[in-house]
Coordinates of all heavy atoms in Angstrom, one line a residue:
M158 N -0.4 -21.4 8.7 CA -0.9 -20.2 7.9 C 0.4 -19.4 7.5 O 1.3 -19.2 8.3 CB -1.7 -19.3 8.8 CG -2.5 -18.2 8.1 SD -3.6 -17.3 9.1 CE -2.7 -15.9 9.5
A159 N 0.4 -18.9 6.3 CA 1.5 -18.2 5.8 C 1.6 -16.8 6.5 O 0.6 -16.2 6.8 CB 1.4 -18.0 4.3
A160 N 2.8 -16.3 6.6 CA 3.0 -15.0 7.2 C 4.0 -14.2 6.4 O 4.9 -14.8 5.8 CB 3.5 -15.1 8.7
C161 N 3.9 -12.9 6.5 CA 4.8 -12.1 5.7 C 6.1 -12.1 6.5 O 6.2 -11.9 7.7 CB 4.3 -10.7 5.7 SG 5.4 -9.5 5.0
T162 N 7.2 -12.2 5.7 CA 8.6 -12.3 6.3 C 9.3 -10.9 6.1 O 10.5 -10.8 6.3 CB 9.4 -13.4 5.6 OG1 9.4 -13.2 4.2 CG2 8.8 -14.7 5.9
H163 N 8.5 -9.9 5.7 CA 9.2 -8.6 5.4 C 8.7 -7.5 6.4 O 8.8 -6.3 6.1 CB 8.8 -8.2 4.0 CG 9.2 -9.2 3.0 ND1 8.3 -10.2 2.6 CD2 10.4 -9.5 2.3 CE1 8.9 -11.0 1.7 NE2 10.1 -10.6 1.5
R164 N 8.1 -8.0 7.5 CA 7.6 -7.0 8.4 C 8.6 -6.0 9.0 O 8.3 -4.9 9.4 CB 6.8 -7.7 9.6 CG 5.6 -8.5 9.1 CD 4.8 -9.0 10.2 NE 3.8 -10.0 9.7 CZ 2.7 -10.2 10.4 NH1 2.4 -9.6 11.5 NH2 1.9 -11.1 9.9
D165 N 9.9 -6.5 9.0 CA 10.9 -5.6 9.5 C 11.2 -4.4 8.6 O 11.9 -3.5 8.9 CB 12.2 -6.4 9.8 CG 12.7 -7.1 8.5 OD1 11.9 -7.3 7.6 OD2 13.9 -7.5 8.5
R166 N 10.6 -4.5 7.4 CA 10.8 -3.4 6.4 C 9.8 -2.3 6.5 O 9.8 -1.3 5.9 CB 10.8 -4.0 5.0 CG 12.0 -4.9 4.7 CD 12.0 -5.5 3.3 NE 12.1 -4.4 2.3 CZ 12.4 -4.7 1.0 NH1 12.7 -5.9 0.7 NH2 12.5 -3.7 0.2
I167 N 8.8 -2.6 7.4 CA 7.7 -1.7 7.6 C 8.2 -0.5 8.4 O 8.8 -0.7 9.5 CB 6.5 -2.3 8.2 CG1 5.9 -3.4 7.2 CG2 5.4 -1.3 8.6 CD1 4.8 -4.2 7.8
K168 N 8.0 0.7 8.0 CA 8.4 1.9 8.7 C 7.2 2.7 9.1 O 6.1 2.6 8.4 CB 9.4 2.7 7.9 CG 10.7 1.9 7.6 CD 11.6 2.8 6.7 CE 12.9 2.0 6.5 NZ 12.7 0.7 5.8
P169 N 7.3 3.6 10.1 CA 6.2 4.4 10.5 C 6.0 5.6 9.5 O 6.3 6.7 9.8 CB 6.6 4.9 11.9 CG 8.1 4.9 11.9 CD 8.5 3.8 11.0
V170 N 5.5 5.3 8.3 CA 5.4 6.2 7.3 C 4.1 7.0 7.4 O 3.2 6.6 8.0 CB 5.5 5.6 5.9 CG1 6.8 4.9 5.6 CG2 4.4 4.5 5.7
T171 N 4.2 8.2 6.7 CA 2.9 9.0 6.5 C 2.7 9.1 5.0 O 3.7 9.1 4.3 CB 3.1 10.4 7.1 OG1 4.3 11.0 6.7 CG2 3.1 10.3 8.7
P172 N 1.5 9.2 4.6 CA 1.2 9.3 3.1 C 1.9 10.5 2.5 O 1.9 11.6 3.0 CB -0.3 9.4 3.0 CG -0.8 8.9 4.4 CD 0.3 9.2 5.4
R173 N 2.6 10.2 1.4 CA 3.4 11.3 0.7 C 2.4 12.2 0.0 O 2.7 13.4 -0.2 CB 4.4 10.7 -0.3 CG 5.5 9.9 0.3 CD 6.7 9.9 -0.5 NE 6.5 9.5 -1.9 CZ 7.4 8.6 -2.5 NH1 8.4 8.1 -1.9 NH2 7.1 8.3 -3.8
T174 N 1.3 11.7 -0.5 CA 0.3 12.5 -1.2 C -1.1 12.1 -0.7 O -1.3 11.1 -0.1 CB 0.4 12.2 -2.7 OG1 0.3 10.7 -2.9 CG2 1.7 12.7 -3.4
Q175 N -2.1 13.0 -1.0 CA -3.5 12.7 -0.6 C -4.2 11.8 -1.6 O -5.2 11.2 -1.2 CB -4.2 14.0 -0.6 CG -3.7 15.0 0.6 CD -3.9 14.3 1.9 OE1 -5.0 13.8 2.3 NE2 -2.8 14.3 2.7
G176 N -3.6 11.6 -2.7 CA -4.2 10.6 -3.7 C -3.1 9.8 -4.3 O -1.9 10.0 -3.9
C177 N -3.4 9.0 -5.4 CA -2.4 8.3 -6.1 C -1.4 9.3 -6.7 O -1.8 10.2 -7.4 CB -3.0 7.5 -7.2 SG -1.8 6.7 -8.2
E178 N -0.1 9.1 -6.3 CA 0.9 10.1 -6.8 C 1.0 10.2 -8.3 O 1.0 11.3 -8.9 CB 2.3 9.6 -6.2 CG 3.3 10.7 -6.3 CD 4.6 10.2 -5.4 OE1 4.4 9.7 -4.3 OE2 5.7 10.4 -5.9
E179 N 1.0 9.1 -9.0 CA 1.1 9.1 -10.5 C -0.2 9.6 -11.1 O -0.2 10.3 -12.1 CB 1.4 7.7 -11.0 CG 2.9 7.3 -10.8 CD 3.2 6.8 -9.3 OE1 2.2 6.6 -8.5 OE2 4.3 6.6 -9.0
C180 N -1.4 9.2 -10.5 CA -2.6 9.7 -11.1 C -2.8 11.2 -10.9 O -3.3 11.9 -11.8 CB -3.8 8.9 -10.5 SG -4.0 7.2 -11.1
L181 N -2.4 11.7 -9.8 CA -2.4 13.1 -9.6 C -1.6 13.9 -10.6 O -2.0 14.9 -11.2 CB -2.0 13.5 -8.2 CG -2.9 13.1 -7.0 CD1 -2.3 13.4 -5.7 CD2 -4.2 13.9 -7.1
A182 N -0.4 13.3 -10.9 CA 0.5 13.9 -11.8 C -0.1 13.9 -13.3 O 0.1 14.8 -14.0 CB 1.9 13.2 -11.8
A183 N -0.7 12.7 -13.6 CA -1.2 12.6 -14.9 C -2.7 13.1 -15.1 O -3.1 13.1 -16.2 CB -1.2 11.1 -15.3
G184 N -3.3 13.4 -14.0 CA -4.7 13.8 -14.1 C -5.7 12.7 -14.4 O -6.8 12.9 -14.9
T185 N -5.3 11.5 -14.0 CA -6.2 10.3 -14.2 C -6.9 10.0 -12.9 O -6.6 10.4 -11.8 CB -5.5 9.1 -14.8 OG1 -4.3 8.9 -14.0 CG2 -5.0 9.4 -16.2
R186 N -7.9 9.1 -13.0 CA -8.7 8.7 -11.9 C -8.3 7.3 -11.3 O -7.7 6.5 -12.0 CB -10.2 8.6 -12.3 CG -10.8 9.9 -12.6 CD -12.1 9.7 -13.3 NE -12.8 11.0 -13.6 CZ -13.7 11.5 -12.8 NH1 -14.1 10.9 -11.7 NH2 -14.3 12.6 -13.0
W187 N -8.6 7.1 -10.1 CA -8.4 5.8 -9.4 C -9.6 5.3 -8.8 O -10.6 6.1 -8.6 CB -7.2 6.0 -8.4 CG -7.5 6.9 -7.3 CD1 -8.2 6.7 -6.2 CD2 -7.1 8.3 -7.3 NE1 -8.3 7.8 -5.4 CE2 -7.6 8.8 -6.0 CE3 -6.3 9.1 -8.1 CZ2 -7.3 10.2 -5.7 CZ3 -6.1 10.4 -7.7 CH2 -6.6 10.9 -6.5
V188 N -9.6 4.0 -8.4 CA -10.7 3.4 -7.7 C -10.5 3.4 -6.2 O -11.3 3.9 -5.4 CB -11.0 2.0 -8.2 CG1 -12.1 1.3 -7.4 CG2 -11.3 2.0 -9.7
A189 N -9.3 2.9 -5.7 CA -9.0 2.8 -4.3 C -7.5 3.0 -4.2 O -6.8 2.8 -5.1 CB -9.4 1.5 -3.7
L190 N -7.2 3.4 -3.0 CA -5.8 3.8 -2.7 C -5.1 2.8 -1.8 O -5.6 2.2 -0.9 CB -5.7 5.2 -2.1 CG -6.2 6.3 -3.0 CD1 -6.2 7.6 -2.2 CD2 -5.3 6.5 -4.2
R191 N -3.8 2.6 -2.1 CA -2.9 1.7 -1.3 C -1.6 2.5 -0.9 O -1.1 3.3 -1.8 CB -2.5 0.5 -2.1 CG -3.6 -0.2 -2.8 CD -4.5 -1.0 -1.8 NE -5.6 -1.7 -2.4 CZ -6.9 -1.4 -2.1 NH1 -7.2 -0.5 -1.3 NH2 -7.8 -2.1 -2.7
M192 N -1.2 2.4 0.3 CA 0.0 3.1 0.7 C 1.2 2.1 1.0 O 1.0 1.1 1.7 CB -0.2 3.9 2.0 CG 1.0 4.7 2.4 SD 0.7 5.7 3.8 CE 0.5 4.5 5.1
C193 N 2.4 2.5 0.4 CA 3.6 1.7 0.7 C 4.0 1.9 2.1 O 4.1 3.0 2.5 CB 4.6 2.1 -0.3 SG 6.2 1.3 0.0
L194 N 4.2 0.8 2.8 CA 4.6 0.9 4.2 C 6.1 1.1 4.4 O 6.6 1.1 5.5 CB 4.1 -0.3 5.0 CG 2.6 -0.3 5.2 CD1 2.1 -1.5 6.0 CD2 2.0 1.0 5.8
E195 N 6.8 1.1 3.3 CA 8.3 1.3 3.4 C 8.7 2.8 3.1 O 9.6 3.3 3.7 CB 9.0 0.4 2.5 CG 10.5 0.4 2.7 CD 11.1 -0.9 2.1 OE1 10.5 -1.9 1.9 OE2 12.4 -0.9 1.9
C196 N 7.9 3.5 2.3 CA 8.3 4.8 1.9 C 7.1 5.8 1.9 O 7.3 7.0 1.7 CB 9.0 4.9 0.6 SG 7.9 4.5 -0.8
G197 N 5.9 5.3 2.1 CA 4.8 6.2 2.2 C 4.2 6.6 0.8 O 3.3 7.5 0.7
H198 N 4.7 6.0 -0.2 CA 4.1 6.2 -1.6 C 2.6 5.8 -1.6 O 2.3 4.7 -1.1 CB 4.9 5.4 -2.6 CG 4.2 5.4 -4.0 ND1 3.3 4.5 -4.4 CD2 4.4 6.2 -5.0 CE1 2.9 4.7 -5.6 NE2 3.5 5.8 -6.0
V199 N 1.8 6.6 -2.2 CA 0.4 6.3 -2.3 C 0.1 6.0 -3.8 O 0.5 6.8 -4.7 CB -0.5 7.5 -1.8 CG1 -2.0 7.1 -2.1 CG2 -0.2 7.7 -0.4
G200 N -0.4 4.8 -4.0 CA -0.8 4.4 -5.4 C -2.1 3.8 -5.5 O -2.7 3.5 -4.4
C201 N -2.6 3.6 -6.7 CA -4.0 3.1 -6.8 C -4.0 1.6 -7.0 O -3.0 1.0 -7.3 CB -4.7 3.8 -8.0 SG -3.7 3.7 -9.6
C202 N -5.1 1.0 -6.7 CA -5.3 -0.5 -6.6 C -5.3 -1.1 -8.0 O -5.4 -0.4 -9.0 CB -6.5 -0.8 -5.8 SG -8.0 -0.4 -6.7
D203 N -5.4 -2.4 -8.0 CA -5.4 -3.1 -9.3 C -6.8 -3.0 -10.0 O -6.9 -3.5 -11.1 CB -5.0 -4.6 -9.0 CG -3.5 -4.8 -8.9 OD1 -2.8 -3.8 -9.0 OD2 -3.1 -5.9 -8.6
S204 N -7.8 -2.5 -9.3 CA -9.0 -2.2 -10.0 C -9.0 -0.9 -10.7 O -9.9 -0.5 -11.4 CB -10.2 -2.3 -9.0 OG -10.3 -3.5 -8.4
S205 N -8.0 -0.1 -10.5 CA -7.8 1.2 -11.1 C -7.1 1.0 -12.4 O -6.3 0.1 -12.6 CB -7.0 2.2 -10.2 OG -7.6 2.2 -8.9
P206 N -7.3 1.9 -13.4 CA -6.6 1.8 -14.7 C -5.1 1.8 -14.6 O -4.4 1.1 -15.3 CB -7.2 3.0 -15.5 CG -8.5 3.3 -14.8 CD -8.3 3.0 -13.4
G207 N -4.6 2.6 -13.6 CA -3.2 2.8 -13.6 C -2.4 1.7 -12.8 O -1.3 1.5 -13.1
R208 N -3.1 1.1 -11.8 CA -2.5 0.1 -11.0 C -1.1 0.5 -10.5 O -0.1 -0.2 -10.5 CB -2.3 -1.2 -11.8 CG -3.6 -1.8 -12.3 CD -3.5 -3.1 -12.9 NE -4.8 -3.6 -13.4 CZ -4.9 -4.9 -13.9 NH1 -3.9 -5.7 -14.0 NH2 -6.1 -5.2 -14.2
H209 N -1.1 1.8 -10.0 CA 0.2 2.4 -9.6 C 0.8 1.8 -8.3 O 2.0 2.0 -8.1 CB 0.0 3.9 -9.5 CG -0.2 4.5 -10.9 ND1 -1.3 5.3 -11.2 CD2 0.6 4.4 -12.0 CE1 -1.2 5.6 -12.5 NE2 -0.1 5.1 -13.0
A210 N 0.0 1.2 -7.4 CA 0.5 0.6 -6.2 C 1.4 -0.6 -6.6 O 2.5 -0.8 -6.1 CB -0.6 0.2 -5.3
T211 N 0.9 -1.4 -7.5 CA 1.6 -2.6 -8.0 C 2.8 -2.1 -8.8 O 3.9 -2.7 -8.7 CB 0.7 -3.5 -8.9 OG1 -0.3 -4.0 -8.1 CG2 1.5 -4.6 -9.5
A212 N 2.6 -1.0 -9.6 CA 3.8 -0.5 -10.4 C 4.9 0.0 -9.5 O 6.1 -0.1 -9.8 CB 3.3 0.6 -11.3
H213 N 4.5 0.6 -8.3 CA 5.5 1.0 -7.3 C 6.3 -0.1 -6.8 O 7.5 -0.1 -6.7 CB 4.8 1.8 -6.2 CG 5.7 2.2 -5.1 ND1 6.6 3.2 -5.3 CD2 5.9 1.7 -3.8 CE1 7.3 3.4 -4.2 NE2 6.9 2.5 -3.3
F214 N 5.6 -1.2 -6.5 CA 6.3 -2.4 -6.0 C 7.3 -2.9 -7.1 O 8.4 -3.3 -6.8 CB 5.3 -3.5 -5.7 CG 5.9 -4.9 -5.6 CD1 6.9 -5.2 -4.7 CD2 5.6 -5.9 -6.6 CE1 7.5 -6.5 -4.7 CE2 6.2 -7.1 -6.6 CZ 7.1 -7.4 -5.6
M215 N 6.8 -3.0 -8.4 CA 7.6 -3.5 -9.5 C 8.9 -2.6 -9.6 O 10.0 -3.1 -9.9 CB 6.9 -3.5 -10.8 CG 5.6 -4.3 -10.8 SD 6.0 -6.1 -10.8 CE 4.7 -6.7 -11.8
A216 N 8.7 -1.3 -9.4 CA 9.8 -0.3 -9.7 C 10.8 -0.3 -8.5 O 12.0 -0.1 -8.7 CB 9.2 1.1 -9.9
T217 N 10.3 -0.5 -7.3 CA 11.1 -0.2 -6.1 C 11.4 -1.5 -5.3 O 12.4 -1.5 -4.6 CB 10.4 0.7 -5.1 OG1 9.2 0.1 -4.6 CG2 10.1 2.1 -5.8
G218 N 10.6 -2.5 -5.5 CA 10.7 -3.7 -4.7 C 10.2 -3.6 -3.3 O 10.4 -4.5 -2.4
H219 N 9.5 -2.5 -3.0 CA 8.9 -2.4 -1.6 C 7.7 -3.3 -1.5 O 6.7 -3.1 -2.3 CB 8.5 -0.9 -1.4 CG 9.6 0.1 -1.4 ND1 9.4 1.4 -1.5 CD2 10.9 -0.1 -1.3 CE1 10.6 2.1 -1.5 NE2 11.5 1.1 -1.3
P220 N 7.8 -4.3 -0.7 CA 6.8 -5.4 -0.8 C 5.5 -5.2 -0.1 O 4.5 -5.8 -0.4 CB 7.6 -6.6 -0.2 CG 8.5 -6.0 0.8 CD 8.8 -4.6 0.3
V221 N 5.5 -4.4 1.0 CA 4.3 -4.3 1.8 C 3.5 -3.0 1.7 O 4.1 -1.9 1.8 CB 4.7 -4.5 3.3 CG1 3.5 -4.6 4.2 CG2 5.6 -5.7 3.5
M222 N 2.3 -3.1 1.4 CA 1.4 -2.0 1.4 C 0.2 -2.1 2.3 O -0.1 -3.2 2.8 CB 1.0 -1.7 -0.1 CG 0.3 -2.8 -0.8 SD -1.5 -2.9 -0.4 CE -2.0 -3.6 -2.0
Q223 N -0.5 -1.1 2.5 CA -1.7 -1.1 3.3 C -2.8 -0.3 2.6 O -2.5 0.7 1.9 CB -1.4 -0.4 4.7 CG -2.6 -0.3 5.6 CD -2.2 0.1 7.0 OE1 -1.4 -0.5 7.6 NE2 -2.9 1.1 7.5
S224 N -4.0 -0.8 2.8 CA -5.1 0.0 2.2 C -5.1 1.4 2.8 O -5.0 1.6 4.0 CB -6.4 -0.7 2.5 OG -7.5 0.1 2.0
A225 N -5.3 2.4 1.9 CA -5.4 3.7 2.4 C -6.9 4.2 2.3 O -7.1 5.4 2.4 CB -4.5 4.7 1.5
E226 N -7.8 3.3 2.2 CA -9.2 3.6 2.3 C -9.7 3.8 3.7 O -9.2 3.1 4.6 CB -10.0 2.5 1.6 CG -9.7 2.4 0.1 CD -10.0 3.7 -0.6 OE1 -11.2 4.2 -0.5 OE2 -9.1 4.2 -1.3
P227 N -10.6 4.7 3.9 CA -11.1 5.0 5.3 C -11.7 3.7 5.9 O -12.4 3.0 5.3 CB -12.1 6.0 5.1 CG -11.8 6.7 3.8 CD -11.2 5.7 3.0
G228 N -11.2 3.4 7.1 CA -11.8 2.2 7.8 C -11.2 0.9 7.5 O -11.5 -0.1 8.1
Q229 N -10.2 0.9 6.5 CA -9.6 -0.3 6.1 C -8.1 -0.3 6.6 O -7.4 0.6 6.4 CB -9.6 -0.5 4.6 CG -10.9 -0.7 4.0 CD -10.9 -1.0 2.5 OE1 -9.8 -1.1 1.9 NE2 -12.1 -1.1 1.9
T230 N -7.8 -1.4 7.3 CA -6.4 -1.4 7.9 C -5.7 -2.7 7.4 O -4.6 -2.9 7.9 CB -6.5 -1.5 9.4 OG1 -7.2 -2.6 9.8 CG2 -7.1 -0.2 10.0
W231 N -6.2 -3.4 6.5 CA -5.5 -4.6 6.0 C -4.2 -4.2 5.2 O -4.1 -3.2 4.6 CB -6.4 -5.5 5.2 CG -7.0 -4.9 4.0 CD1 -8.2 -4.3 3.9 CD2 -6.4 -4.7 2.7 NE1 -8.4 -3.8 2.6 CE2 -7.4 -4.1 1.9 CE3 -5.2 -5.1 2.1 CZ2 -7.1 -3.8 0.5 CZ3 -4.9 -4.8 0.8 CH2 -5.9 -4.2 0.0
R232 N -3.3 -5.2 5.4 CA -2.0 -5.0 4.7 C -1.8 -6.2 3.7 O -2.4 -7.2 3.9 CB -0.9 -5.0 5.7 CG -1.0 -3.8 6.6 CD 0.0 -3.8 7.8 NE 0.0 -2.5 8.4 CZ 0.9 -2.2 9.4 NH1 1.8 -3.0 9.8 NH2 0.9 -1.0 9.9
W233 N -0.9 -5.9 2.7 CA -0.7 -7.0 1.7 C 0.8 -7.0 1.4 O 1.4 -5.9 1.2 CB -1.5 -6.6 0.5 CG -1.2 -7.4 -0.7 CD1 -0.4 -7.1 -1.8 CD2 -1.6 -8.8 -1.0 NE1 -0.3 -8.1 -2.7 CE2 -1.0 -9.1 -2.3 CE3 -2.4 -9.7 -0.3 CZ2 -1.2 -10.4 -2.8 CZ3 -2.5 -11.0 -0.9 CH2 -2.0 -11.3 -2.1
C234 N 1.3 -8.2 1.3 CA 2.7 -8.3 0.9 C 2.7 -8.9 -0.5 O 2.2 -10.0 -0.7 CB 3.5 -9.2 1.9 SG 5.2 -9.5 1.3
Y235 N 3.3 -8.2 -1.4 CA 3.4 -8.7 -2.8 C 4.3 -9.9 -2.9 O 4.0 -10.8 -3.8 CB 4.0 -7.6 -3.7 CG 3.0 -6.5 -4.0 CD1 3.1 -5.3 -3.4 CD2 2.0 -6.6 -4.9 CE1 2.2 -4.2 -3.6 CE2 1.1 -5.6 -5.2 CZ 1.2 -4.4 -4.6 OH 0.4 -3.4 -4.8
L236 N 5.3 -10.1 -2.1 CA 6.2 -11.2 -2.3 C 5.7 -12.4 -1.6 O 5.8 -13.5 -2.2 CB 7.6 -10.8 -1.6 CG 8.3 -9.7 -2.4 CD1 9.6 -9.3 -1.6 CD2 8.6 -10.1 -3.8
D237 N 5.1 -12.3 -0.4 CA 4.5 -13.5 0.2 C 3.1 -13.8 -0.2 O 2.5 -14.8 0.1 CB 4.6 -13.3 1.7 CG 6.0 -13.3 2.2 OD1 6.8 -14.2 1.9 OD2 6.4 -12.3 3.0
E238 N 2.4 -12.7 -0.8 CA 1.0 -12.8 -1.2 C 0.2 -13.2 0.0 O -0.7 -14.1 -0.1 CB 0.9 -13.8 -2.3 CG 1.6 -13.3 -3.6 CD 1.3 -14.2 -4.8 OE1 1.1 -15.4 -4.7 OE2 1.2 -13.6 -5.9
V239 N 0.4 -12.5 1.1 CA -0.4 -12.7 2.3 C -1.1 -11.4 2.7 O -0.5 -10.3 2.5 CB 0.3 -13.3 3.5 CG1 0.7 -14.7 3.3 CG2 1.5 -12.4 3.8
R240 N -2.3 -11.5 3.2 CA -3.0 -10.3 3.6 C -3.3 -10.4 5.1 O -3.7 -11.5 5.6 CB -4.3 -10.2 2.9 CG -5.1 -8.9 3.1 CD -6.2 -8.8 2.0 NE -7.5 -8.8 2.7 CZ -8.5 -8.1 2.2 NH1 -8.4 -7.4 1.0 NH2 -9.6 -8.1 2.8
W241 N -3.1 -9.4 5.9 CA -3.3 -9.5 7.3 C -3.8 -8.1 7.8 O -3.6 -7.1 7.1 CB -2.1 -10.0 8.1 CG -1.0 -9.0 8.3 CD1 -0.8 -8.3 9.4 CD2 0.0 -8.7 7.3 NE1 0.4 -7.5 9.2 CE2 0.9 -7.8 7.9 CE3 0.3 -9.2 6.0 CZ2 2.0 -7.2 7.3 CZ3 1.4 -8.6 5.4 CH2 2.3 -7.7 6.0
V242 N -4.2 -8.1 9.1 CA -4.7 -6.8 9.7 C -3.8 -6.6 10.9 O -3.6 -7.5 11.7 CB -6.1 -6.9 10.1 CG1 -6.5 -5.6 10.9 CG2 -7.0 -7.0 8.9
D243 N -3.2 -5.4 10.9 CA -2.3 -5.1 12.0 C -3.1 -4.5 13.2 O -4.2 -4.0 13.0 CB -1.3 -4.0 11.6 CG -0.1 -3.9 12.6 OD1 0.6 -4.9 12.7 OD2 0.0 -2.9 13.2
E244 N -2.6 -4.7 14.4 CA -3.3 -4.3 15.6 C -3.4 -2.8 15.7 O -4.4 -2.2 16.0 CB -2.7 -4.8 16.9 CG -2.6 -6.3 16.9 CD -3.9 -7.0 16.9 OE1 -4.9 -6.4 17.5 OE2 -4.1 -8.0 16.2
A245 N -2.3 -2.1 15.3 CA -2.2 -0.7 15.5 C -3.0 0.0 14.4 O -3.1 -0.5 13.3 CB -0.7 -0.2 15.4
P246 N -3.6 1.2 14.7 CA -4.3 1.9 13.7 C -3.3 2.4 12.6 O -2.2 2.6 12.8 CB -4.9 3.1 14.4 CG -4.1 3.2 15.6 CD -3.6 1.9 16.0
P247 N -3.8 2.6 11.4 CA -3.0 3.0 10.3 C -2.5 4.5 10.5 O -3.2 5.3 11.2 CB -3.8 2.9 9.0 CG -5.2 3.1 9.6 CD -5.2 2.4 10.9
P248 N -1.4 4.9 9.9 CA -0.9 6.2 10.0 C -1.9 7.2 9.5 O -2.5 7.0 8.4 CB 0.4 6.2 9.2 CG 0.8 4.8 9.1 CD -0.5 4.0 9.2
G249 N -2.1 8.3 10.2 CA -3.0 9.3 9.7 C -4.5 9.1 10.1 O -5.3 9.9 9.9
D250 N -4.8 7.9 10.6 CA -6.1 7.6 11.1 C -6.3 8.3 12.4 O -5.4 8.5 13.2 CB -6.3 6.1 11.2 CG -7.8 5.7 11.0 OD1 -8.5 6.6 10.5 OD2 -8.2 4.6 11.4
Q251 N -7.6 8.7 12.7 CA -7.8 9.3 14.0 C -7.9 8.4 15.1 O -8.6 7.5 15.2 CB -9.1 10.1 13.9 CG -10.2 9.5 13.1 CD -10.7 10.4 12.0 OE1 -10.9 11.6 12.3 NE2 -11.0 10.0 10.9
Ligands
ZN508 ZN1 6.3 -10.3 3.0
ZN509 ZN1 -2.7 5.7 -10.0
ZN510 ZN1 7.6 2.4 -1.4

């Protein structure tokens, strides 16, 4: 089974914004949120018009993100294209 080779880049980040950073700035809507696990950037998913989570990866090269939706703890690496669930609860979760 493939595994992400960038886990050492994951930091104990907290979300920088309560919603997609770029959508909040532009006043546009999103479908679901993803948080960058390297810097805490919050962006919208690929089902959203802006696709700002992917845009953040393209711009910064930060490869690992986690779903920022309530109850979802899965992570995704853009470079390895693997999805997994971490044992620890996501930052900001109760
Ligand atoms: Zn990876
Ligand atoms: Zn967005
Ligand atoms: Zn980032």
Side-chain angles (χ1 to χ4, degrees):
M158 192 174 99
C161 173
T162 56
H163 308 91
R164 296 189 191 204
D165 58 342
R166 296 180 61 164
I167 295 173
K168 297 180 176 61
V170 294
T171 50
R173 295 207 306 224
T174 51
Q175 291 301 306
C177 172
E178 196 167 316
E179 284 80 6
C180 284
L181 286 173
T185 52
R186 292 165 175 267
W187 60 81
V188 175
L190 295 173
R191 313 286 181 242
M192 181 178 70
C193 173
L194 291 180
E195 191 159 338
C196 72
H198 170 271
V199 177
C201 50
C202 70
D203 282 355
S204 299
S205 309
R208 301 184 178 186
H209 291 123
T211 298
H213 176 72
F214 160 67
M215 299 288 217
T217 64
H219 296 168
V221 186
M222 57 82 149
Q223 177 171 307
S224 174
E226 294 300 304
Q229 293 186 5
T230 58
W231 57 264
R232 297 173 168 188
W233 168 259
C234 175
Y235 285 104
L236 294 176
D237 295 310
E238 299 190 321
V239 290
R240 190 167 119 146
W241 76 97
V242 173
D243 196 67
E244 302 298 322
D250 206 18
Q251 34 235 322

